[in-house]
Amino acid sequence: MKTEQAGRLKLVEIVLLLFLAAFLATGAMALQTGQELSDKVVRLHVLANSDSEEDQALKLKVRDRILAYAEPLLAGAADRREAEALLRGQVLELERVAAREIRANGYDYAVTIELEDTVFPTREYEGFSLPAGKYLALRAVIGAGEGQNWWCVVFPPLCAAASAEVPEAALAAGLSPSQVGLITEEDQGYVLKSKLVEFWKTLENTLE
C-alpha cells in the first residue's frame, strides 16, 4: 500500500514539474515575442496638460502636427534603428513644431519632446493591437502633462494607416509575417499570447 501511495505521489510530482517547466518555457517565449516586437517599433505618446475639453482638443492638434512632421521624415527608414536616429536628430525641431501649434491655438504651455523607453499596457488600435511591454516612445508632454494621453505607433507609420494597409506597412518596417499576424490578430492564438506577454512583462517589472 505504501509503495503504491509513494508511486502516486511521485507521479504527481512529475506532472507538477512538467507543468512548471512548460509554464516557464511559455513565459520565456512570451517575453521573447514581446521583446522582438518592441525592438521593431517606435510608439508615439502625447500627454495633455489636463483633462479639460480644451486641453484634450489641443492634445489632438499637437498630435496631428507631430505626425505630419514625423511620418515623411521616417518614410525612408528601413528599420527601427534608422527611425530612432532620424527622430533623435529632429527632437528640437519637433518641439518647435509642437510649440508653434500650441501658440497658434492661443495657449502658452511649454512642451517637451524626447525619446525614451516607456512601459505600455496591452493596447488595441483600429486594425491592430500591441502587447504590453517596454517600447521606445516619442513622448510629447504638454504643460503639466496631467491629462489623459494618446498612444499610437509612429514607426512603422500605423497611426494613420487604414486597417488594410497595416500589414504592408509593418512588413516594410521589418516585422516578420508571424509578428504581423500577431498584431493584426490573424494569428488565432493572439489573445492568449498577448495576455501571456502582459503577465510576464508585469512579473518582470515587479521583480526589477
Side-chain angles (χ1 to χ4, degrees):
M1 180 66 72
K2 290 183 178 180
T3 302
E4 184 177 345
Q5 289 178 338
R8 288 176 180 174
L9 288 173
K10 190 67 175 179
L11 179 59
V12 170
E13 290 175 359
I14 291 172
V15 170
L16 289 174
L17 286 172
L18 289 173
F19 175 80
L20 179 60
F23 182 70
L24 292 174
T26 301
M29 288 188 292
L31 286 174
Q32 183 178 358
T33 297
Q35 187 61 51
E36 289 174 351
L37 189 58
S38 66
D39 285 344
K40 293 185 177 181
V41 305
V42 181
R43 307 284 287 264
L44 175 61
H45 191 198
V46 184
L47 290 82
N49 177 66
S50 75
D51 281 335
S52 72
E53 185 175 341
E54 295 81 7
D55 283 348
Q56 287 295 310
L58 178 64
K59 173 192 70 177
L60 298 180
K61 291 181 179 180
V62 172
R63 171 205 67 185
D64 291 345
R65 187 60 61 191
I66 290 172
L67 287 173
Y69 187 91
E71 288 185 343
L73 174 70
L74 300 178
D79 54 31
R80 199 200 79 167
R81 178 161 40 179
E82 288 188 14
E84 179 180 355
L86 288 168
L87 288 171
R88 288 197 185 281
Q90 295 294 313
V91 164
L92 292 179
E93 184 58 32
L94 283 164
E95 280 191 353
R96 285 192 281 268
V97 166
R100 285 198 294 268
E101 184 64 24
I102 291 169
R103 290 196 299 273
N105 282 274
Y107 298 89
D108 61 356
Y109 299 139
V111 58
T112 59
I113 294 181
E114 55 190 357
L115 275 167
E116 63 180 27
D117 289 329
T118 304
V119 176
F120 290 89
T122 297
R123 186 75 176 179
E124 293 188 7
Y125 302 96
E126 184 177 353
F128 70 101
S129 300
L130 287 177
K134 185 180 290 184
Y135 293 81
L136 180 66
L138 182 67
R139 298 183 76 244
V141 181
I142 303 170
E146 296 177 350
Q148 294 183 42
N149 50 57
W150 186 90
W151 303 328
C152 198
V153 181
V154 69
F155 182 83
L158 304 183
C159 292
S163 297
E165 298 170 348
V166 167
E168 183 178 354
L171 286 170
L175 273 69
S176 67
S178 61
Q179 288 169 338
V180 173
L182 178 66
I183 69 171
T184 58
E185 302 185 33
E186 292 177 1
D187 180 343
Q188 296 302 309
Y190 171 80
V191 174
L192 176 59
K193 290 179 182 177
S194 182
K195 291 299 182 183
L196 282 170
V197 171
E198 185 169 12
F199 170 78
W200 282 98
K201 280 293 183 182
T202 300
L203 181 60
E204 182 183 51
N205 292 331
T206 302
L207 295 174
E208 287 181 348

